[in-house]
Amino acid sequence: MKILFTGGGTLGSVTPLLAIAEELRARGGDLEFIWIGTSAGPERALVEAAGIPFSSIVSAKFRRYFDLRNFSDPFLLVMGIIQSARVIRRFKPDVIVNAGSYIGVPVLIAGSLLGSRGVVLQLDLVPSLSNQLAAGFVDAILAGYDESAGAFSPKKTRTIGIPVRAAYRDSTLITRAKSELLRRYGIRKDFPLLLVLGGGTGAEFLNTLVRSTLSQLCTGAHVLLVTGKGKGSVPPIVHAGYTEVELLEHELPLVMARADAVATRAGMGTLAELCALQKPIVIIPIPGSHQEANARFFEKNHAARVLQQDQCTPDCFLSVARDLLYDADRRALLARGMEKLDRPESVSKIAALLSQYEKKK
């Protein structure tokens, strides 16, 4: 069976697809994968590390607001369709799978024109513009939660959850994490760990917030900040109980498992992984974006604390972080909320559905 995955620009549309590829491989059989992504995004290293050949195309980045680049986007879209068609003709996929990334739109259009089946994953609560554009060119739309499924044709759409890689459900992960992270980053086993994630490309606001509160945050705890590529401190900050890294592509499951609390943006791929681990989290969504709806959904289900960026002062952040690190009742409440949102069967259901698209040879 041949499957073409497409996604990138950020890692939010990448890790759920890698979870599907991992599950399909675990089931065995004759499989062949290929990936189409962006040329400048962070996804290439992660995809190639998973043993999947990678190709890049140009594409329009669809915006809901006025921007001069909107005038050139139609030409980029056409070019992306042409580039995708070349890959599709050569590879001849049984099915093309995208998780909401804008890079998937020309790929799915080209695939439809060439007779390939298409599937999209709708991860966020607010349907992405790219998925809305691609909906007419695919056979199935798989929604993470019922709240987003209603935006698409009921004939094509089903709620199936968000796939998570097997590493996040490994019962030995926390034990291994404590010893390995002590060796790599000097994180003491008896110190609580606050992990701060700005998404696949980092978040300047979170980086600045953490750096401005280091002395208070690192009193009796260790802080690990993932800054995003090219956003590390210059010169590097040296502070007891503090670790700063640009990316955590392969170590992220270990670090998440070791964390006692997590401050994060609101990408649904990351939130699904944290649900699998049932970690106490504070969400600081990107203002004016689809992430605000994701954050409200988690808050409504008692699965996260939420701080709006324009109201997130250093003192407020410190108070919430300490609450998550040290308040056992609060941590237990959030863990129960996350457990209710977790869909451990999602990845196996999606793999079974995709297997139905295998062409009879």
Side-chain angles (χ1 to χ4, degrees):
M1 185 178 183
K2 293 184 175 184
I3 298 178
L4 191 161
F5 292 108
T6 174
T10 68
L11 295 180
S13 62
V14 174
T15 52
L17 299 183
L18 290 176
I20 296 169
E22 179 184 77
E23 174 69 16
L24 286 165
R25 282 172 169 162
R27 288 169 173 246
D30 189 9
L31 290 165
E32 190 174 351
F33 300 137
I34 195 170
W35 195 291
I36 294 180
T38 65
S39 58
E43 68 272 12
R44 179 188 285 270
L46 205 59
V47 169
E48 291 183 339
I52 301 176
F54 184 93
S55 296
S56 62
I57 62 168
V58 299
S59 180
K61 185 172 183 179
F62 307 104
R63 305 171 185 87
R64 299 177 190 262
Y65 53 87
F66 177 78
D67 190 296
L68 289 175
R69 289 171 292 182
N70 292 344
F71 295 102
S72 62
D73 283 345
F75 301 99
L76 294 176
L77 177 61
V78 171
M79 188 179 300
I81 293 171
I82 293 170
Q83 292 175 326
S84 301
R86 291 172 183 160
V87 177
I88 292 167
R89 285 197 185 100
R90 183 177 70 249
F91 185 63
K92 296 181 175 62
D94 294 292
V95 63
I96 300 169
V97 190
N98 176 243
S101 170
Y102 65 89
I103 201 72
V105 175
V107 183
L108 290 165
I109 293 174
S112 178
L113 294 173
L114 294 172
S116 294
R117 313 295 290 273
V119 173
V120 295
L121 276 61
Q122 176 55 50
L123 306 179
D124 295 306
L125 269 292
V126 175
S128 65
L129 181 56
S130 56
N131 273 355
Q132 290 177 319
L133 292 171
F137 300 94
V138 301
D139 300 89
I141 300 162
L142 308 179
Y145 297 99
D146 290 333
E147 285 75 3
S148 59
F152 302 98
S153 165
K155 294 181 179 179
K156 289 185 177 182
T157 309
R158 59 186 292 190
T159 300
I160 205 163
I162 299 173
V164 172
R165 287 172 287 173
Y168 291 95
R169 303 191 186 280
D170 183 349
S171 60
T172 69
L173 193 61
I174 294 179
T175 302
R176 290 192 292 111
K178 287 189 175 182
S179 59
E180 291 187 31
L181 296 184
L182 173 64
R183 185 177 69 253
R184 295 180 194 181
Y185 301 123
I187 300 173
R188 290 170 41 178
K189 295 181 181 181
D190 57 335
F191 264 42
L193 172 64
L194 173 66
L195 171 64
V196 184
L197 298 170
T201 56
E204 199 62 46
F205 175 82
L206 295 185
N207 295 347
T208 301
L209 184 66
V210 170
R211 290 163 184 159
S212 67
T213 55
L214 273 186
S215 296
Q216 300 97 318
L217 281 174
C218 294
T219 301
H222 197 107
V223 177
L224 196 157
L225 170 66
V226 183
T227 67
K229 190 174 182 179
K231 297 179 181 178
S233 299
V234 179
I237 294 174
V238 178
H239 193 291
Y242 177 67
T243 302
E244 188 174 289
V245 295
E246 291 192 354
L247 293 172
L248 278 175
E249 294 169 344
H250 310 297
E251 294 178 330
L252 192 54
L254 281 172
V255 175
M256 279 189 179
R258 171 64 180 85
D260 294 277
V262 181
T264 181
R265 288 303 200 185
M268 271 299 192
T270 297
L271 294 180
E273 291 165 348
L274 290 166
C275 274
L277 294 166
Q278 296 175 27
K279 293 294 175 179
I281 61 174
V282 53
I283 300 174
I284 306 171
I286 297 174
S289 75
H290 64 277
Q291 289 196 1
E292 291 184 324
N294 294 346
R296 287 194 299 270
F297 177 73
F298 269 69
E299 186 175 45
K300 176 184 174 183
N301 284 277
H302 308 289
R305 293 286 303 275
V306 174
L307 294 174
Q308 298 303 323
Q309 182 167 303
D310 61 354
Q311 300 172 356
C312 186
T313 63
D315 286 343
C316 181
F317 178 68
L318 279 169
S319 175
V320 173
R322 287 169 174 162
D323 187 32
L324 295 183
L325 285 171
Y326 302 115
D327 187 330
D329 291 337
R330 170 74 69 179
R331 292 163 58 83
L333 175 65
L334 296 179
R336 288 194 296 271
M338 285 202 149
E339 185 178 15
K340 291 178 182 177
L341 295 182
D342 188 25
R343 300 288 186 272
E345 74 285 354
S346 172
V347 68
S348 61
K349 286 185 175 181
I350 295 173
L353 185 148
L354 294 180
S355 296
Q356 297 173 14
Y357 290 116
E358 184 175 5
K359 297 172 185 174
K360 303 301 179 184
K361 302 298 189 285

